[in-house]
């Protein structure tokens, strides 16, 4: 991956953006894409719409979307001694929190804290058998109660106090890879399509908001844009490490290419064209069985207006919703190549009606 592209990924992933507070990540997208796109707008839900005008009369319009919100927490109560109680924003796993460094994002900047809990020496035998619930944890910022209440406000959001790193053989880790990598892929596809001469139909790359709270941003974006084709770009659970049952969860391996979803949430003709694009682009890919709604932005896409031609491309990821989500850069690049080929091969007159 080129250093400029890696820098864009790092900048986007490290921008703090818990659901409903995605403005820092949205700013990264706008700054990157404004010199490139024909139009960049932001809707009232905070989603960023990046448009490349089409060149071919009657060619289908395409929306590629990845959500830019991440899980986090929110300041709920500050006691007189300055210890902070929190609520979850999205799917927080309380088991991993004790001792975790966290960043509280206030109007005046970041306040560093640590998730506190009684040490193991002071926990009785019965308590050790269960996970300490979030409402029994607290944040210690090392200041007096008066100073904390001066600097921290109820409703301030909190992220894990970690950033983006390269490690191992072509892997990266960070909080928030779910699913800023989807937005990164969508933007990179638009860039590559433009470099290749332009898009047949209108192409939209969208960073959606509030997916972790129920795919809200995607619902607004797909309704407003009203594309002919809508493809969600997401992460999916890798199953290539100990304790995962592949008979139950399938074979999903980091570094072996993106997953192309197949199932009732997916248009079957679009699925076949995505597979053909992967083969033509000569990239690794795998098929992922999705026997019901996928729980991604593909859900509201498919059901918008009279129904949309919908697809889902997913990047294998280990340890989802932790501070150390792990994936392979090669899978991101393969997804960009696959989707770029798909967009460039679209022509007018394609019938996506299942028969």
């Amino acid at each position: 991956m080129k250093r400029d592209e890696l820098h864009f990924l790092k900048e986007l992933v490290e921008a703090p953006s818990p659901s409903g507070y995605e403005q820092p990540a949205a700013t990264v997208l706008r700054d990157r894409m404004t010199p490139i796109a024909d139009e960049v707008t932001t809707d009232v839900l905070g989603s960023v719409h990046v448009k490349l005008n089409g060149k071919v009369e009657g060619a289908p319009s395409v929306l590629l979307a990845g959500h830019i919100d991440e899980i986090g927490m929110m300041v709920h109560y500050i006691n007189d001694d300055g210890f902070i109680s929190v609520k979850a924003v999205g799917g927080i796993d309380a088991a991993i929190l004790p001792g975790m460094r966290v960043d509280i994002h206030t109007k005046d900047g970041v306040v560093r804290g640590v998730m506190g809990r009684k040490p193991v020496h002071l926990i009785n035998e019965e308590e050790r058998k269960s996970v300490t619930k979030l409402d029994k944890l607290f944040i210690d910022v090392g200041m007096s109660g008066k100073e904390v209440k001066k600097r921290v406000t109820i409703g301030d959001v909190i992220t894990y106090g970690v950033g983006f790193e390269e490690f191992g053989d072509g892997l990266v880790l960070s909080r928030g890879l779910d699913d800023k990598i989807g937005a990164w892929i969508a933007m990179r596809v638009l860039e590559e399509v433009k470099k290749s001469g332009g898009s047949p139909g209108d192409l939209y790359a969208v960073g959606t908001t509030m997916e972790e709270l129920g795919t809200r941003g995607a619902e607004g974006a797909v309704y407003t844009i009203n594309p002919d084709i809508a493809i969600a770009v997401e992460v999916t659970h890798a199953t290539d490490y100990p304790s995962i049952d592949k008979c139950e969860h399938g074979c999903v391996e980091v570094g072996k290419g993106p997953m192309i979803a197949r199932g009732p949430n997916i248009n079957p003709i679009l699925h076949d064209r995505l597979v053909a694009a992967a083969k033509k682009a000569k990239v690794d890919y795998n098929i992922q069985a999705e026997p019901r709604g996928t729980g991604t932005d593909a859900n509201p896409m498919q059901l918008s207006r009279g129904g949309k031609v919908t697809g889902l491309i997913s990047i294998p990821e280990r340890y989802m919703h932790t501070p150390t989500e792990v994936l392979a850069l090669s899978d991101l690049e393969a997804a960009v190549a696959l989707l770029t080929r798909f967009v460039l091969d679209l022509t007018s007159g394609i019938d996506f009606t299942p028969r």
Side-chain angles (χ1 to χ4, degrees):
M1 184 178 291
K2 295 179 180 178
R3 300 313 298 180
D4 170 69
E5 297 162 8
L6 189 64
H7 174 77
F8 174 33
L9 179 61
K10 182 177 187 294
E11 186 179 23
L12 180 60
V13 169
E14 290 187 340
S17 59
S19 303
Y21 295 78
E22 297 94 345
Q23 296 91 329
T27 297
V28 173
L29 294 185
R30 287 191 295 266
D31 288 348
R32 171 83 178 194
M33 303 308 294
T34 296
I36 298 166
D38 292 310
E39 184 179 322
V40 177
T41 59
T42 306
D43 66 24
V44 295
L45 297 180
S47 298
V48 178
H49 303 188
V50 180
K51 182 183 181 185
L52 190 64
N53 293 332
K55 300 168 54 183
V56 178
E57 184 73 24
S61 57
V62 179
L63 184 158
L64 305 175
H67 69 85
I68 56 174
D69 61 316
E70 61 181 300
I71 62 167
M73 293 169 282
M74 179 179 287
V75 175
H76 178 61
Y77 170 71
I78 307 169
N79 74 12
D80 290 340
D81 294 321
F83 294 101
I84 299 169
S85 298
V86 301
K87 294 286 188 180
V89 178
I92 290 287
D93 181 0
I96 66 173
L97 291 178
M100 177 68 63
R101 297 176 189 182
V102 296
D103 290 332
I104 306 170
H105 300 277
T106 77
K107 65 182 186 302
D108 297 319
V110 174
V111 173
R112 173 55 64 95
V114 62
M115 297 297 303
R117 189 200 69 174
K118 289 187 294 185
V120 66
H121 315 71
L122 304 182
I123 297 174
N124 64 42
E125 185 175 349
E126 192 62 31
E127 288 178 307
R128 294 182 190 182
K129 296 177 182 179
S130 61
V131 173
T132 304
K133 294 182 179 180
L134 187 61
D135 61 2
K136 302 301 182 185
L137 300 174
F138 54 87
I139 295 178
D140 181 352
V141 297
M143 303 177 192
S144 68
K146 182 178 180 180
E147 185 64 18
V148 174
K149 291 180 179 181
K150 179 180 176 182
R151 298 182 60 178
V152 178
T153 303
I154 301 300
D156 285 344
V157 288
I158 302 152
T159 58
Y160 300 134
V162 296
F164 181 94
E165 294 181 37
E166 297 179 71
F167 89 114
D169 185 10
L171 304 181
V172 294
L173 64 84
S174 183
R175 64 160 229 279
L177 293 174
D178 174 15
D179 174 45
K180 296 178 196 178
I181 60 95
W184 182 90
I185 290 168
M187 303 301 155
R188 288 284 300 115
V189 171
L190 188 143
E191 291 177 345
E192 291 301 310
V193 167
K194 183 173 182 178
K195 288 179 187 177
S196 298
S199 178
D202 290 343
L203 175 61
Y204 296 86
V206 180
T208 61
T209 58
M210 293 180 282
E211 189 272 351
E212 299 291 356
L213 302 183
T215 65
R216 300 179 187 184
E219 185 170 353
V222 72
Y223 186 93
T224 299
I225 293 171
N226 193 23
D228 297 308
I229 300 168
I231 300 174
V233 188
E234 256 286 4
V235 295
T236 189
H237 296 287
T239 62
D240 59 354
Y241 57 93
S243 80
I244 303 295
D245 184 351
K246 292 185 179 181
C247 290
E248 180 179 0
H249 299 291
C251 183
V252 183
E253 298 180 87
V254 169
K256 298 298 180 64
M259 309 297 293
I260 302 175
R262 186 180 185 194
N265 195 176
I266 309 303
N267 179 277
I269 298 168
L270 174 57
H271 169 269
D272 290 346
R273 290 188 71 95
L274 289 170
V275 170
K279 292 178 179 178
K280 190 171 180 180
K282 298 181 179 179
V283 297
D284 292 333
Y285 71 94
N286 295 279
I287 306 300
Q288 185 165 36
E290 293 285 3
R292 55 185 64 84
T294 60
T296 70
D297 281 346
N299 281 10
M301 288 175 172
Q302 184 185 41
L303 301 176
S304 183
R305 296 181 181 259
K308 293 297 177 188
V309 177
T310 300
L312 172 62
I313 300 291
S314 300
I315 303 299
E317 180 184 79
R318 298 174 187 158
Y319 325 128
M320 194 180 298
H321 283 204
T322 75
T324 51
E325 297 174 338
V326 170
L327 48 75
L329 292 175
S330 62
D331 290 341
L332 306 190
E333 293 179 301
V336 171
L338 185 168
L339 288 167
T340 298
R341 186 71 266 159
F342 167 79
V343 171
L344 291 173
D345 285 349
L346 289 172
T347 61
S348 58
I350 302 171
D351 186 1
F352 286 93
T353 307
R355 299 188 189 280

